[in-house]
Amino acid sequence: MADTAKTATLTIDGKEIELPILSPTLGPDVIDIRKLYAQGDVFTYDPGFTSTASCDSTITFIDGDKGELLHRGYPIDQLAEKSHFLEVCYLLLYGELPSATKLEEFENLVTNHTMLHEQMMYFFRGFRRDAHPMAIMVGVVGAMSAFYHDSTDISDPHQREVASIRLIAKMPTIAAWAYKFSIGQPFVYPRNDMDYASNFLRMCFAVPAEDYEVNPILARAMDRIFTLHADHEQNASTSTVRLASSSGANPFACIAAGIACLWGPAHGGANQACLEMLEEIGTVDRIPEFIARAKDKNDDYRLMGFGHRVYKNFDPRATVMKQSADEVLELLGVENNPKLQVAKELERQALEDPYFADKKLFPNVDFYSGIILEAMGFPTSMFTPIFSLARTVGWISQWKEMIADPQNKIGRPRQLYVGEKARDYVDVENR
Ligand code: SDX
């Protein structure tokens, strides 16, 4: 735990309460309020947790003012350029970059867990064909606790490790099969002679009727997109996984809860909502109309892919994603993609507008990702499943950290009650 030399003094009704201040490796100090209710008979109040640290963690650090994102201390732009997703998974899970031997062992372990229990195929078939792939992901991942009983005991470190590898390894298969089911094509099995991103692309786009060659440029872009989405501190879906796990629920059920939370358009669903917004705008001449709506206090319309609770500067992932969008679309010969043109002009006009500048609203990770994914051949409904696939390692790493923390206890917030005082029941004839 961090240094506790400093304290904060709170005076309530003349009574002084001294609270320890904990100093982190990076970022703001925190006031330790764990004894506040016992000493002062008061709660703190922070809907949306805008000023609340829910835990201590060693995994990811974000400096919203500098637009900095570190995974175990390594900047995201360096990892996106020099590393690859499974190496980033190892880093997030175990805290250090692996040796070549350790990396090979880890990649082989993941590769050999990519198949699903064959019986799960029937579970997919229980959905309507037009089910949103995220609905299928939530259901199938939750159902893994009904198929993998030998890795649900969270008190057993070995079972925790097996569950972690199974989830990271099987998410591409689940996401790809959710897509195949939604388009009425047969499931494609993973192959052990392919890397993680290539396997996923092949499971999504190959058909039994012909051979399928993965485009190495798209595989590299896919792998980088996974890296950019891997973890992000205590965001809504990670906090959901932590809270669900705090009751001792099994990891598959907890990750299913994280997928459900990520689905929302304010969170991971923004990549789908952003592309639908760019489609609705259509041409650059309509941009001012949409910017005006986003600024209108009487209109709850927001620019999807813009703004962030933490980043009050550029989201460093958006910067890398924008570069990748330019590269991939040029390599695919679609650099004049109208949505990319609209996105770039929308970004330019918004960033020149005092409303967005004053509120420190910048493009976030979701602003450009959809453009690349659509160019790769994915429908918008697959954007958030891909986000879920990549974020699984972040959820699992944070879950493992929490389970192993001796301070771990069930999360149970209190409230500011503003309802009725106690009153007696009234019989229906007297109401
Ligand atoms: C992700 O937390 C994470 O780390 C998430 C994530 C991750 O990797 O896990 O980074 C992934 O979820 C990225 C965010 C994707 N969501 C969107 O792109 C949806 C559009 N953006 C927003 O709805 C919003 O910006 C949030 C939800 C992202 C952040 O909301 P906050 O922090 O609660 O901010 P707020 O709603 O209090 O907004 C502050 C002000 C408000 O105006 P005022 O009431 O002060 O006058 O900014 C305005 C908002 O109206 N505002 C926007 C806006 N976002 C905020 N106005 C127009 N367009 C927007 N996009």
Side-chain angles (χ1 to χ4, degrees):
M1 178 57 77
D3 172 29
T4 58
K6 296 186 284 188
T7 62
T9 304
L10 198 55
T11 305
I12 301 174
D13 298 334
K15 179 185 175 188
E16 286 199 348
I17 298 167
E18 200 147 348
L19 299 167
I21 290 179
L22 309 180
S23 298
T25 315
L26 294 169
D29 284 352
V30 300
I31 300 173
D32 182 347
I33 58 168
R34 284 174 287 185
K35 293 187 169 45
L36 177 61
Y37 181 49
Q39 293 177 1
D41 197 29
V42 293
F43 297 146
T44 59
Y45 181 67
D46 186 14
F49 312 117
T50 53
S51 303
T52 296
S54 62
C55 61
D56 53 67
S57 181
T58 61
I59 300 171
T60 290
F61 175 73
I62 303 169
D63 184 320
D65 295 326
K66 288 200 290 187
E68 183 180 51
L69 167 57
L70 307 177
H71 288 320
R72 303 287 191 179
Y74 295 99
I76 189 64
D77 53 322
Q78 291 184 33
L79 292 173
E81 184 194 340
K82 298 175 179 176
S83 185
H84 63 278
F85 183 62
L86 282 188
E87 183 175 77
V88 172
C89 287
Y90 186 100
L91 175 66
L92 289 169
L93 285 168
Y94 307 115
E96 296 295 338
L97 289 170
S99 65
T101 309
K102 286 286 186 194
L103 179 58
E104 186 180 1
E105 286 169 7
F106 180 73
E107 290 181 333
N108 290 336
L109 194 57
V110 171
T111 300
N112 286 283
H113 277 80
T114 50
M115 286 183 70
L116 286 178
H117 186 297
E118 190 67 4
Q119 186 79 10
M120 290 193 86
M121 195 176 282
Y122 301 104
F123 195 84
F124 281 83
R125 294 205 168 102
F127 290 94
R128 285 174 46 145
R129 285 287 179 179
D130 60 356
H132 193 292
M134 281 298 280
I136 299 175
M137 296 277 290
V138 171
V140 172
V141 172
M144 286 175 77
S145 39
F147 286 85
Y148 298 105
H149 299 106
D150 60 345
S151 60
T152 52
D153 176 1
I154 63 167
S155 65
D156 176 351
H158 173 69
Q159 292 197 35
R160 294 204 299 263
E161 188 64 16
V162 170
S164 304
I165 297 299
R166 275 179 167 152
L167 278 159
I168 292 165
K170 297 178 194 305
M171 284 301 265
T173 311
I174 293 168
W177 286 17
Y179 172 54
K180 283 303 203 185
F181 182 76
S182 71
I183 58 174
Q185 286 187 359
F187 296 135
V188 175
Y189 286 87
R191 290 178 57 92
N192 290 350
D193 60 353
M194 299 189 92
D195 65 73
Y196 194 84
S198 300
N199 231 338
F200 175 64
L201 290 174
R202 182 178 168 280
M203 287 191 281
C204 288
F205 299 123
V207 289
E210 58 190 25
D211 291 338
Y212 179 82
E213 279 297 310
V214 176
N215 178 330
I217 293 141
L218 296 188
R220 177 66 189 133
M222 187 81 265
D223 188 272
R224 187 183 298 143
I225 286 174
F226 291 160
T227 293
L228 292 173
H229 287 84
D231 188 49
H232 213 239
E233 195 205 78
Q234 306 311 318
N235 59 83
S237 53
T238 298
S239 300
T240 300
V241 171
R242 278 181 173 259
L243 195 57
S245 307
S246 72
S247 74
N250 77 71
F252 305 112
C254 296
I255 297 302
I259 296 171
C261 176
L262 188 76
W263 194 358
H267 191 13
N271 50 20
Q272 173 174 344
C274 180
L275 207 85
E276 288 163 356
M277 172 188 74
L278 295 175
E279 280 166 354
E280 190 185 359
I281 294 172
T283 53
V284 295
D285 61 310
R286 293 194 64 204
I287 287 172
E289 169 193 337
F290 284 80
I291 288 183
R293 280 192 61 196
K295 291 164 63 177
D296 181 353
K297 271 240 165 286
N298 301 316
D299 187 340
D300 61 5
Y301 180 81
R302 293 190 167 186
L303 292 186
M304 291 291 108
F306 252 79
H308 199 276
R309 168 64 56 76
V310 177
Y311 289 121
K312 300 311 172 190
N313 193 323
F314 262 91
D315 179 335
R317 302 167 298 173
T319 307
V320 177
M321 200 74 81
K322 182 178 179 180
Q323 291 159 2
S324 191
D326 282 333
E327 286 166 20
V328 170
L329 270 64
E330 185 184 347
L331 287 162
L332 291 175
V334 288
E335 62 272 24
N336 298 320
N337 174 308
K339 294 190 191 81
L340 179 61
Q341 306 316 319
V342 169
K344 287 184 173 180
E345 180 58 15
L346 174 60
E347 176 187 4
R348 188 190 66 77
Q349 291 189 28
L351 295 184
E352 287 180 355
D353 188 304
Y355 172 91
F356 295 90
D358 295 347
K359 293 179 188 294
K360 299 183 185 298
L361 301 173
F362 292 88
N364 58 49
V365 68
D366 294 309
F367 190 66
Y368 283 103
S369 57
I371 291 167
I372 305 174
L373 293 173
E374 185 188 58
M376 295 169 90
F378 291 104
T380 53
S381 60
M382 275 302 290
F383 293 1
T384 312
I386 288 168
F387 195 150
S388 309
L389 183 171
R391 183 53 58 89
T392 296
V393 64
W395 291 329
I396 282 292
S397 302
Q398 302 267 352
W399 167 74
K400 286 180 74 175
E401 180 177 70
M402 187 192 83
I403 298 286
D405 182 346
Q407 296 183 88
N408 176 31
K409 58 173 63 176
I410 191 165
R412 205 296 188 193
R414 302 305 301 273
Q415 63 180 5
L416 171 67
Y417 177 70
V418 291
E420 295 289 342
K421 293 181 179 172
R423 53 183 172 162
D424 294 328
Y425 182 82
V426 178
D427 293 329
V428 66
E429 57 271 15
N430 299 326
R431 290 174 199 158

